[in-house]
Amino acid sequence: PSLTPSQSPSACIIPTTGVTGLNYIGDNDCQDITGKVYDYVQVDEAGVITTVAACYAKCNDIVDWANVGRGLVFSCALDVCLCYFDDGGLPSNCANKYHQCESSNSGTGAMSAGGSYNGKCFEKA
């Protein structure tokens, strides 16, 4: 994803330990171990989702994410939360309920971090 920053990166501190239900994978974006990006739902609530825990809670509100979701990327510098699914796992009514749904990616399986996205990648524990 390519997004415009809404907060100063210096004001953004994201903990990488002690986040219940998630394991920190690395900096930047989430992708599978072959470098493919996952399908995702962008939860767009500027200024509302200000922590990894809040992002995790929003992802858990998405139909089926608790069962088939893969992980998430959070960036307070970009004020964005992306909830990742294996290829083909997005809810069928996604586009009608969420800010942005991307189903054309083919990532699946184990998660790694990479790319140039200014965020932190977490996999469901």
Side-chain angles (χ1 to χ4, degrees):
S2 148
L3 304 168
T4 306
S6 63
Q7 294 182 25
S8 160
S10 62
C12 178
I13 299 171
I14 302 172
T16 57
T17 60
V19 183
T20 302
L22 297 172
N23 293 321
Y24 174 68
I25 300 299
D27 290 349
N28 301 315
D29 201 1
C30 299
Q31 57 192 23
D32 70 13
I33 58 174
T34 66
K36 295 177 185 164
V37 179
Y38 298 93
D39 291 348
Y40 65 86
V41 173
Q42 179 180 336
V43 181
D44 189 41
E45 296 190 38
V48 175
I49 301 173
T50 58
T51 65
V52 175
C55 179
Y56 180 61
K58 286 294 180 182
C59 289
N60 271 319
D61 286 344
I62 297 171
V63 173
D64 290 337
W65 191 84
N67 297 319
V68 298
R70 174 60 57 189
L72 61 87
V73 69
F74 174 71
S75 174
C76 51
L78 300 176
D79 202 15
V80 73
C81 169
L82 301 177
C83 309
Y84 288 106
F85 291 81
D86 278 333
D87 186 32
L90 287 181
S92 59
N93 64 346
C94 190
N96 296 328
K97 292 188 74 172
Y98 303 103
H99 174 72
Q100 181 179 352
C101 299
E102 179 56 61
S103 62
S104 66
N105 298 319
S106 57
T108 189
M111 190 170 263
S112 65
S116 59
Y117 189 73
N118 183 15
K120 303 274 187 198
C121 173
F122 293 86
E123 188 169 33
K124 285 177 25 183

